[in-house]
Amino acid sequence: MKTFNLNNNENIPVIGFGVFMIPNNGPTYEATLAALKAGYRHIDTAAGYMNESDVGKAIKDSGVPREEIFITSKLWLQDYGYENAKKGIDNSLKALDTDYIDLYLLHQPYGDYLGSWRALEEAVEEGRIKSIGISNVTINLWNKFKDGMHMMPVVNQVEFNPFTQQKKLMAEMSKYNIRLEAWYPLGHGNKDLLENETIVSLANKYNKNAGQIILRWIYQEGVISLPKSTNIERMEGNIDIFDFELNNQEMQSIRDLDTGKPTHNPEDSANETRLMGLKIHD
Ligand code: A2P
Protein backbone atom coordinates (compact mmCIF):
# COMPACT_ATOMS: atom_id res chain seq x y z
CA MET A 1 0.00 0.00 0.00
CA LYS A 2 1.32 3.45 -0.93
CA THR A 3 1.86 5.98 1.85
CA PHE A 4 1.78 9.75 2.32
CA ASN A 5 4.28 11.50 4.54
CA LEU A 6 2.90 13.42 7.55
CA ASN A 7 4.23 16.65 9.08
CA ASN A 8 5.93 14.68 11.89
CA ASN A 9 7.69 12.46 9.31
CA GLU A 10 5.53 9.39 9.99
CA ASN A 11 4.03 7.64 6.95
CA ILE A 12 0.34 6.84 6.59
CA PRO A 13 -1.14 4.32 4.11
CA VAL A 14 -3.17 6.42 1.66
CA ILE A 15 -6.32 4.30 1.98
CA GLY A 16 -7.67 3.06 5.29
CA PHE A 17 -10.50 0.64 5.91
CA GLY A 18 -13.28 2.51 7.74
CA VAL A 19 -15.40 0.58 10.25
CA PHE A 20 -17.94 3.28 11.14
CA MET A 21 -21.35 1.71 11.86
CA ILE A 22 -20.14 -1.89 11.58
CA PRO A 23 -21.32 -3.62 14.79
CA ASN A 24 -18.93 -5.07 17.37
CA ASN A 25 -18.84 -8.72 18.53
CA GLY A 26 -18.50 -10.28 15.09
CA PRO A 27 -19.19 -8.07 12.08
CA THR A 28 -16.28 -5.66 12.66
CA TYR A 29 -14.00 -8.62 13.43
CA GLU A 30 -14.96 -10.36 10.16
CA ALA A 31 -14.74 -7.15 8.11
CA THR A 32 -11.34 -6.15 9.53
CA LEU A 33 -9.95 -9.64 9.03
CA ALA A 34 -11.19 -9.64 5.43
CA ALA A 35 -9.75 -6.15 4.85
CA LEU A 36 -6.32 -7.21 6.13
CA LYS A 37 -6.48 -10.28 3.91
CA ALA A 38 -7.40 -8.08 0.94
CA GLY A 39 -4.27 -5.99 1.55
CA TYR A 40 -5.44 -3.05 3.69
CA ARG A 41 -2.81 -1.97 6.20
CA HIS A 42 -4.67 0.95 7.74
CA ILE A 43 -7.81 0.56 9.87
CA ASP A 44 -9.85 3.58 10.97
CA THR A 45 -11.95 3.03 14.09
CA ALA A 46 -13.02 5.20 17.07
CA ALA A 47 -14.03 4.79 20.69
CA GLY A 48 -17.36 6.22 19.56
CA TYR A 49 -17.88 3.42 17.02
CA MET A 50 -17.78 0.98 19.96
CA ASN A 51 -15.96 -1.63 17.88
CA GLU A 52 -12.29 -1.14 18.84
CA SER A 53 -12.16 -4.56 20.53
CA ASP A 54 -13.18 -6.39 17.34
CA VAL A 55 -10.51 -4.45 15.42
CA GLY A 56 -7.92 -5.46 18.01
CA LYS A 57 -8.91 -9.14 17.88
CA ALA A 58 -8.88 -9.21 14.07
CA ILE A 59 -5.41 -7.66 13.99
CA LYS A 60 -4.14 -10.27 16.48
CA ASP A 61 -5.70 -13.15 14.52
CA SER A 62 -4.71 -11.87 11.07
CA GLY A 63 -1.11 -13.00 11.36
CA VAL A 64 -0.01 -9.62 9.98
CA PRO A 65 2.72 -8.15 12.23
CA ARG A 66 1.41 -5.24 14.31
CA GLU A 67 4.11 -2.89 13.02
CA GLU A 68 2.86 -3.37 9.45
CA ILE A 69 -0.60 -2.10 10.38
CA PHE A 70 -1.55 1.55 10.89
CA ILE A 71 -4.33 1.90 13.47
CA THR A 72 -6.35 5.09 13.83
CA SER A 73 -8.76 5.60 16.70
CA LYS A 74 -10.51 8.64 18.16
CA LEU A 75 -11.42 10.03 21.56
CA TRP A 76 -15.14 10.45 22.14
CA LEU A 77 -16.60 13.66 23.65
CA GLN A 78 -17.69 11.92 26.84
CA ASP A 79 -13.99 11.41 27.62
CA TYR A 80 -12.89 14.99 26.88
CA GLY A 81 -10.96 17.02 29.46
CA TYR A 82 -7.35 16.40 30.49
CA GLU A 83 -7.92 13.71 33.16
CA ASN A 84 -10.77 11.93 31.34
CA ALA A 85 -8.81 11.93 28.08
CA LYS A 86 -5.91 10.10 29.74
CA LYS A 87 -8.36 7.37 30.80
CA GLY A 88 -9.97 7.40 27.34
CA ILE A 89 -6.59 6.76 25.74
CA ASP A 90 -5.97 3.90 28.20
CA ASN A 91 -9.35 2.41 27.30
CA SER A 92 -8.63 2.58 23.56
CA LEU A 93 -5.23 0.92 24.05
CA LYS A 94 -6.88 -1.83 26.12
CA ALA A 95 -9.76 -2.39 23.71
CA LEU A 96 -7.38 -2.51 20.74
CA ASP A 97 -5.06 -4.75 22.77
CA THR A 98 -1.98 -2.87 21.61
CA ASP A 99 0.98 -1.00 23.16
CA TYR A 100 0.62 2.00 20.87
CA ILE A 101 -1.87 3.63 18.51
CA ASP A 102 -0.51 5.03 15.25
CA LEU A 103 -2.92 7.95 15.02
CA TYR A 104 -5.39 9.24 17.59
CA LEU A 105 -7.87 12.01 16.82
CA LEU A 106 -10.12 14.28 18.80
CA HIS A 107 -13.32 13.04 17.19
CA GLN A 108 -15.48 16.15 17.51
CA PRO A 109 -14.64 19.86 17.97
CA TYR A 110 -16.58 20.58 21.19
CA GLY A 111 -16.16 20.51 24.96
CA ASP A 112 -12.78 20.86 26.70
CA TYR A 113 -10.84 20.59 23.47
CA LEU A 114 -7.46 21.91 24.53
CA GLY A 115 -7.41 19.98 27.83
CA SER A 116 -8.01 16.82 25.81
CA TRP A 117 -5.37 17.80 23.27
CA ARG A 118 -2.81 18.19 26.08
CA ALA A 119 -3.48 14.58 27.17
CA LEU A 120 -2.93 13.45 23.56
CA GLU A 121 0.33 15.41 23.37
CA GLU A 122 1.56 13.72 26.57
CA ALA A 123 0.65 10.30 25.19
CA VAL A 124 2.83 11.04 22.17
CA GLU A 125 5.71 11.98 24.48
CA GLU A 126 5.18 8.69 26.36
CA GLY A 127 5.19 6.67 23.12
CA ARG A 128 1.63 5.43 23.56
CA ILE A 129 0.47 7.32 20.47
CA LYS A 130 2.65 8.07 17.43
CA SER A 131 0.66 10.86 15.78
CA ILE A 132 -2.29 13.01 16.80
CA GLY A 133 -4.88 14.78 14.75
CA ILE A 134 -8.22 16.52 14.60
CA SER A 135 -11.53 15.80 12.95
CA ASN A 136 -14.54 17.82 11.79
CA VAL A 137 -12.61 21.05 12.34
CA THR A 138 -13.71 23.98 10.15
CA ILE A 139 -11.57 27.08 9.53
CA ASN A 140 -13.43 29.01 12.27
CA LEU A 141 -12.91 26.22 14.78
CA TRP A 142 -9.26 25.87 13.75
CA ASN A 143 -8.72 29.56 14.45
CA LYS A 144 -10.26 29.05 17.88
CA PHE A 145 -8.03 26.08 18.82
CA LYS A 146 -4.73 26.44 17.03
CA ASP A 147 -2.90 28.83 19.38
CA GLY A 148 -3.51 26.51 22.33
CA MET A 149 -1.83 23.54 20.66
CA HIS A 150 1.87 22.81 21.17
CA MET A 151 2.00 19.87 18.77
CA MET A 152 0.59 20.37 15.28
CA PRO A 153 -2.12 17.92 14.27
CA VAL A 154 -0.96 15.71 11.38
CA VAL A 155 -4.43 15.36 9.83
CA ASN A 156 -7.92 16.82 9.89
CA GLN A 157 -10.48 14.10 9.11
CA VAL A 158 -13.54 15.66 7.47
CA GLU A 159 -16.38 14.88 5.10
CA PHE A 160 -14.74 14.84 1.66
CA ASN A 161 -15.75 13.52 -1.76
CA PRO A 162 -16.23 14.98 -5.26
CA PHE A 163 -19.45 16.74 -4.15
CA THR A 164 -17.85 18.07 -0.93
CA GLN A 165 -14.30 19.12 -1.68
CA GLN A 166 -13.54 21.41 1.26
CA LYS A 167 -11.36 23.59 -0.96
CA LYS A 168 -10.96 26.53 1.44
CA LEU A 169 -10.31 24.22 4.38
CA MET A 170 -7.74 22.28 2.37
CA ALA A 171 -5.91 25.50 1.46
CA GLU A 172 -5.91 26.64 5.11
CA MET A 173 -4.73 23.25 6.42
CA SER A 174 -1.95 23.08 3.83
CA LYS A 175 -0.39 26.21 5.39
CA TYR A 176 0.30 24.03 8.44
CA ASN A 177 1.14 20.86 6.46
CA ILE A 178 -1.98 19.23 7.88
CA ARG A 179 -3.37 16.65 5.48
CA LEU A 180 -7.06 16.09 5.00
CA GLU A 181 -8.54 12.65 5.53
CA ALA A 182 -11.83 11.84 3.81
CA TRP A 183 -14.77 10.37 5.70
CA TYR A 184 -17.69 9.40 3.43
CA PRO A 185 -15.26 9.33 0.46
CA LEU A 186 -17.94 7.61 -1.63
CA GLY A 187 -20.66 9.93 -0.36
CA HIS A 188 -21.81 7.07 1.88
CA GLY A 189 -23.04 5.18 -1.19
CA ASN A 190 -24.81 8.28 -2.65
CA LYS A 191 -26.25 7.15 -6.02
CA ASP A 192 -26.08 10.66 -7.49
CA LEU A 193 -22.34 10.55 -6.94
CA LEU A 194 -21.71 6.92 -7.94
CA GLU A 195 -23.87 7.33 -11.06
CA ASN A 196 -22.58 10.77 -11.99
CA GLU A 197 -21.96 11.04 -15.73
CA THR A 198 -18.41 12.40 -15.46
CA ILE A 199 -17.40 9.65 -13.06
CA VAL A 200 -19.12 6.84 -14.97
CA SER A 201 -17.49 7.88 -18.27
CA LEU A 202 -14.05 7.80 -16.61
CA ALA A 203 -14.92 4.40 -15.14
CA ASN A 204 -15.69 3.14 -18.64
CA LYS A 205 -12.50 4.63 -20.05
CA TYR A 206 -10.24 3.00 -17.45
CA ASN A 207 -12.26 -0.20 -17.03
CA LYS A 208 -12.78 0.58 -13.34
CA ASN A 209 -15.93 1.15 -11.26
CA ALA A 210 -17.17 4.56 -10.09
CA GLY A 211 -15.87 4.00 -6.56
CA GLN A 212 -12.37 3.33 -7.88
CA ILE A 213 -12.41 6.53 -9.98
CA ILE A 214 -13.45 8.56 -6.92
CA LEU A 215 -10.84 6.96 -4.67
CA ARG A 216 -8.13 7.47 -7.30
CA TRP A 217 -9.12 11.14 -7.63
CA ILE A 218 -8.97 11.58 -3.84
CA TYR A 219 -5.52 9.96 -3.78
CA GLN A 220 -4.24 12.26 -6.55
CA GLU A 221 -5.59 15.23 -4.55
CA GLY A 222 -3.22 14.17 -1.75
CA VAL A 223 -6.04 13.21 0.60
CA ILE A 224 -6.21 9.99 2.63
CA SER A 225 -9.50 8.14 2.11
CA LEU A 226 -11.38 5.82 4.45
CA PRO A 227 -13.89 3.87 2.36
CA LYS A 228 -16.16 1.42 4.11
CA SER A 229 -17.49 -1.77 2.58
CA THR A 230 -18.69 -5.05 3.99
CA ASN A 231 -18.75 -6.56 0.49
CA ILE A 232 -15.50 -8.44 -0.24
CA GLU A 233 -15.42 -7.59 -3.94
CA ARG A 234 -15.89 -3.85 -3.35
CA MET A 235 -13.46 -3.96 -0.41
CA GLU A 236 -10.79 -5.45 -2.71
CA GLY A 237 -11.69 -3.11 -5.56
CA ASN A 238 -11.41 0.00 -3.40
CA ILE A 239 -7.63 -0.50 -3.01
CA ASP A 240 -7.08 -1.59 -6.61
CA ILE A 241 -6.54 1.97 -7.84
CA PHE A 242 -2.79 2.12 -8.41
CA ASP A 243 -2.61 0.80 -11.99
CA PHE A 244 -3.98 3.90 -13.74
CA GLU A 245 -3.71 7.67 -13.51
CA LEU A 246 -6.22 10.47 -14.13
CA ASN A 247 -4.77 13.23 -16.29
CA ASN A 248 -5.01 16.94 -15.41
CA GLN A 249 -8.11 17.51 -17.46
CA GLU A 250 -9.85 14.51 -15.86
CA MET A 251 -8.83 15.66 -12.38
CA GLN A 252 -10.32 19.07 -13.19
CA SER A 253 -13.55 17.55 -14.54
CA ILE A 254 -14.10 15.94 -11.12
CA ARG A 255 -13.07 19.13 -9.31
CA ASP A 256 -15.86 20.85 -11.22
CA LEU A 257 -18.43 18.62 -9.47
CA ASP A 258 -17.94 20.37 -6.11
CA THR A 259 -21.17 21.71 -4.61
CA GLY A 260 -19.22 23.52 -1.87
CA LYS A 261 -21.78 22.23 0.63
CA PRO A 262 -20.88 19.49 3.12
CA THR A 263 -23.92 17.57 4.42
CA HIS A 264 -22.52 17.86 7.96
CA ASN A 265 -21.91 21.31 9.45
CA PRO A 266 -19.78 21.03 12.62
CA GLU A 267 -20.60 24.65 13.49
CA ASP A 268 -24.32 23.92 13.76
CA SER A 269 -25.19 24.12 17.46
CA ALA A 270 -27.83 21.39 17.02
CA ASN A 271 -25.03 19.00 16.02
CA GLU A 272 -23.01 20.06 19.04
CA THR A 273 -25.94 19.44 21.40
CA ARG A 274 -26.78 16.08 19.82
CA LEU A 275 -23.21 14.78 19.79
CA MET A 276 -22.38 16.05 23.29
CA GLY A 277 -25.36 13.98 24.50
CA LEU A 278 -24.16 10.68 22.97
CA LYS A 279 -22.81 8.41 25.72
CA ILE A 280 -20.62 5.42 24.91
CA HIS A 281 -20.15 4.16 28.49
CA ASP A 282 -21.51 4.73 32.06
P1 A2P B 1 -21.17 -2.03 0.81
O1 A2P B 1 -20.73 -2.17 2.25
O2 A2P B 1 -22.34 -2.88 0.47
O3 A2P B 1 -20.02 -2.15 -0.16
P2 A2P B 1 -18.53 5.61 2.43
O4 A2P B 1 -17.23 4.92 2.59
O5 A2P B 1 -18.47 6.88 1.62
O6 A2P B 1 -19.27 5.79 3.75
O7 A2P B 1 -19.48 4.65 1.54
C1 A2P B 1 -19.83 3.41 2.04
C2 A2P B 1 -21.04 2.93 1.29
O8 A2P B 1 -20.71 2.77 -0.10
C3 A2P B 1 -21.50 1.60 1.76
O9 A2P B 1 -22.92 1.60 1.66
C4 A2P B 1 -20.88 0.60 0.79
O10 A2P B 1 -21.73 -0.51 0.65
C5 A2P B 1 -20.82 1.41 -0.49
N1 A2P B 1 -19.62 1.13 -1.30
C6 A2P B 1 -18.37 0.84 -0.88
N2 A2P B 1 -17.52 0.72 -1.90
C7 A2P B 1 -18.24 0.94 -3.02
C8 A2P B 1 -17.94 0.97 -4.42
N3 A2P B 1 -16.71 0.74 -4.87
N4 A2P B 1 -18.95 1.24 -5.29
C9 A2P B 1 -20.20 1.46 -4.83
N5 A2P B 1 -20.56 1.46 -3.54
C10 A2P B 1 -19.60 1.21 -2.64
Side-chain angles (χ1 to χ4, degrees):
M1 170 67 69
K2 288 189 187 294
T3 58
F4 285 137
N5 197 242
L6 298 171
N7 64 20
N8 61 353
N9 239 353
E10 295 286 339
N11 291 319
I12 184 166
V14 301
I15 298 181
F17 182 67
V19 296
F20 177 49
M21 282 170 41
I22 309 181
N24 204 36
N25 296 320
T28 297
Y29 174 83
E30 296 298 339
T32 305
L33 208 53
L36 291 167
K37 204 168 159 216
Y40 287 80
R41 289 295 178 268
H42 172 180
I43 311 292
D44 183 276
T45 181
Y49 301 170
M50 294 188 282
N51 56 16
E52 288 170 306
S53 63
D54 264 23
V55 169
K57 276 190 213 129
I59 287 173
K60 278 268 148 79
D61 291 352
S62 69
V64 181
R66 168 67 185 91
E67 61 276 14
E68 287 178 21
I69 302 173
F70 190 103
I71 307 178
T72 299
S73 194
K74 316 183 188 84
L75 188 74
W76 186 245
L77 290 167
Q78 195 184 349
D79 296 323
Y80 275 24
Y82 177 67
E83 290 300 336
N84 283 343
K86 287 203 279 191
K87 286 186 216 138
I89 295 165
D90 282 344
N91 288 338
S92 284
L93 285 163
K94 251 183 241 147
L96 288 161
D97 194 11
T98 183
D99 296 338
Y100 68 94
I101 296 169
D102 295 271
L103 174 61
Y104 206 64
L105 311 182
L106 290 187
H107 203 152
Q108 297 290 348
Y110 315 119
D112 180 3
Y113 204 76
L114 293 176
S116 313
W117 188 253
R118 192 153 55 88
L120 265 57
E121 290 174 333
E122 283 184 17
V124 172
E125 277 156 11
E126 292 159 4
R128 300 192 305 150
I129 298 175
K130 286 198 173 174
S131 302
I132 53 179
I134 57 181
S135 183
N136 299 304
V137 170
T138 60
I139 294 177
N140 284 337
L141 290 162
W142 173 245
N143 287 333
K144 189 169 128 190
F145 300 139
K146 70 177 193 305
D147 291 340
M149 293 173 154
H150 297 289
M151 277 183 204
M152 266 295 113
V154 296
V155 297
N156 185 5
Q157 185 178 127
V158 295
E159 183 181 8
F160 185 98
N161 60 57
F163 285 171
T164 302
Q165 299 186 22
Q166 307 275 12
K167 286 177 177 158
K168 286 187 187 144
L169 181 65
M170 192 195 262
E172 185 63 21
M173 293 292 103
S174 74
K175 292 182 194 162
Y176 303 88
N177 284 321
I178 298 170
R179 258 185 209 281
L180 292 191
E181 288 193 311
W183 61 255
Y184 282 6
L186 303 169
H188 208 44
N190 178 356
K191 287 255 175 295
D192 288 343
L193 178 62
L194 291 161
E195 291 173 8
N196 176 273
E197 214 179 294
T198 303
I199 290 171
V200 170
S201 77
L202 289 168
N204 291 337
K205 173 177 172 184
Y206 288 106
N207 201 18
K208 292 280 169 184
N209 64 42
Q212 290 170 314
I213 297 297
I214 294 167
L215 294 169
R216 176 73 202 190
W217 173 81
I218 294 176
Y219 163 63
Q220 288 185 221
E221 287 289 73
V223 173
I224 299 140
S225 63
L226 307 163
K228 179 216 136 194
S229 181
T230 46
N231 172 289
I232 303 287
E233 226 170 88
R234 285 192 284 277
M235 192 188 278
E236 287 172 349
N238 288 346
I239 50 171
D240 182 17
I241 61 158
F242 301 106
D243 57 353
F244 73 107
E245 187 173 352
L246 299 170
N247 64 34
N248 287 341
Q249 196 195 336
E250 291 163 346
M251 287 297 290
Q252 189 56 46
S253 71
I254 299 182
R255 284 189 199 116
D256 291 342
L257 301 178
D258 189 22
T259 64
K261 287 192 207 101
T263 63
H264 175 72
N265 176 9
E267 291 178 32
D268 181 344
S269 62
N271 280 330
E272 176 169 358
T273 306
R274 179 176 58 85
L275 293 167
M276 288 292 283
L278 284 184
K279 304 282 178 236
I280 60 165
H281 57 72
D282 293 339

